[in-house]
Amino acid sequence: MRAAVVTTFGGPEAVEVVEAELPEPAARQVRIKVAAATLNPVDAGVRQGVFGGAGKRIGLGWDVAGTVDATGVATAWSVGDEVVALDPGMVRPLGTHAEYVVVETDAVAKAPATVDAVHAATLPLNALAAVQALDLLELSQGQSLLISGAAGAVGGFAVQLAAHRGISVTALARETDEELVRSLGAAHFASGGVQPGGFDAVLDTAFLGETALEWVRDGGAYIGVIPQAAPASVRGVRTGAVEVSADGARLAELAALVDEGVLTLRVAETYALDEAAKAHARLAEGGVRGRLVLVP
């Protein structure tokens, strides 16, 4: 089968599409025939060597939508099931940017019924990161939340999920994105001039760090999206960062919210698997609204 990998670190040109051995599922695993797999910033980090692994062949891709193709023992999934899954990992021989991928059975969820596989592939990593970050913030209905980078993939899901929970969301984004973030459910919009201490919590998907921390009231909460990179606590503000984990049960809940119209899946562009390097080059240009998706 074909798979996108890196064997040396660097720019988009470091991405290769190679022939790899078809993986076989072990106990409590399923093999998915990949219909679509999303390209995320973490893949660029892997490609650049941020997470190490020099001298190894490293597979790319965490998100997948497709069809169960084979199963190991002790799994409730059946061949032919249409599914989505998160397959996290920084340094491993194969990722989801391939024709087939083996994942743990408890990382898998039934795919949303109302969207195609290309859109479904954008759900796992970014929506799980958003909902797990919101869980860490522990906000109640009516409390106030500022989300930086609200027009991005994680930020956009966070706006919708928080608004669905009855939280008062202020979206921080570029002026040109105001219409978008309001359509996602933001009650308020900011592009600058945020009031210090004005919010019960901040979800910082734009990596603003200490700047965003100043916007949290005394005793509030700050959650970022880069593990081990949260700013130190000040004024009694609880700080931390989400480290997204695979969770098939939670992913199933998110897929149901897609079918209910609560969550919007945004695809910017699609690329053939053989164009993986081209997709990385587009990601590196920035300004992408929605996700880039690879189709084997």
Side-chain angles (χ1 to χ4, degrees):
M1 70 163 191
R2 293 173 302 138
V5 304
V6 292
T7 54
T8 59
F9 299 134
E13 71 284 351
V15 179
E16 306 174 60
V17 177
V18 301
E19 287 294 327
E21 186 175 348
L22 184 68
E24 295 295 335
R28 295 192 56 77
Q29 292 182 329
V30 300
R31 186 172 68 204
I32 299 172
K33 179 177 173 58
V34 179
T38 304
L39 176 62
N40 289 288
V42 67
D43 298 305
V46 171
R47 184 197 77 223
Q48 294 163 344
V50 172
F51 308 107
K56 299 180 180 180
R57 186 189 77 178
I58 305 174
L60 300 169
W62 288 31
D63 284 311
V64 62
T67 305
V68 174
D69 167 75
T71 66
V73 298
T75 174
W77 297 101
S78 301
V79 171
D81 287 342
E82 294 185 1
V83 296
V84 290
L86 176 65
D87 182 33
M90 303 301 186
V91 181
R92 67 270 175 79
L94 292 172
T96 65
H97 294 172
E99 292 182 298
Y100 295 86
V101 63
V102 167
V103 301
E104 300 299 317
T105 187
D106 57 5
V108 180
K110 182 179 178 182
T114 54
V115 298
D116 60 21
V118 170
H119 284 80
T122 67
L123 181 69
L125 173 57
N126 295 293
L128 281 170
V131 76
Q132 290 171 7
L134 290 173
D135 290 346
L136 291 173
L137 288 171
E138 299 179 343
L139 291 173
S140 302
Q141 184 174 350
Q143 287 192 286
S144 60
L145 170 66
L146 184 139
I147 300 174
S148 73
V154 176
F157 282 132
V159 171
Q160 292 185 305
L161 290 165
H164 185 62
R165 295 181 179 187
I167 296 166
S168 177
V169 176
T170 296
L172 179 66
R174 298 175 182 173
E175 290 184 4
T176 53
D177 288 321
E178 179 175 2
E179 182 178 352
L180 168 63
V181 295
R182 287 191 181 276
S183 74
L184 297 176
H188 309 285
F189 174 79
S191 60
V194 179
Q195 178 183 353
F199 299 91
D200 293 313
V202 167
L203 173 51
D204 182 19
T205 77
F207 324 128
L208 301 179
E210 292 180 357
T211 298
L213 183 61
E214 291 302 313
W215 301 331
V216 184
R217 65 166 172 79
D218 294 358
Y222 165 102
I223 292 295
V225 293
I226 302 180
Q228 289 85 51
S233 174
V234 295
R235 300 179 288 105
V237 175
R238 179 171 54 86
T239 65
V242 64
E243 187 165 0
V244 66
S245 59
D247 184 337
R250 205 64 188 280
L251 185 55
E253 295 173 1
L254 294 166
L257 291 177
V258 172
D259 288 336
E260 293 170 19
V262 173
L263 292 180
T264 303
L265 304 179
R266 296 180 287 156
V267 173
E269 300 174 45
T270 59
Y271 294 84
L273 179 61
D274 289 336
E275 298 178 309
K278 183 179 178 182
H280 275 254
R282 175 65 189 93
L283 181 65
E285 290 173 2
V288 178
R289 288 293 173 260
R291 276 293 178 240
L292 307 176
V293 181
L294 300 179
V295 180

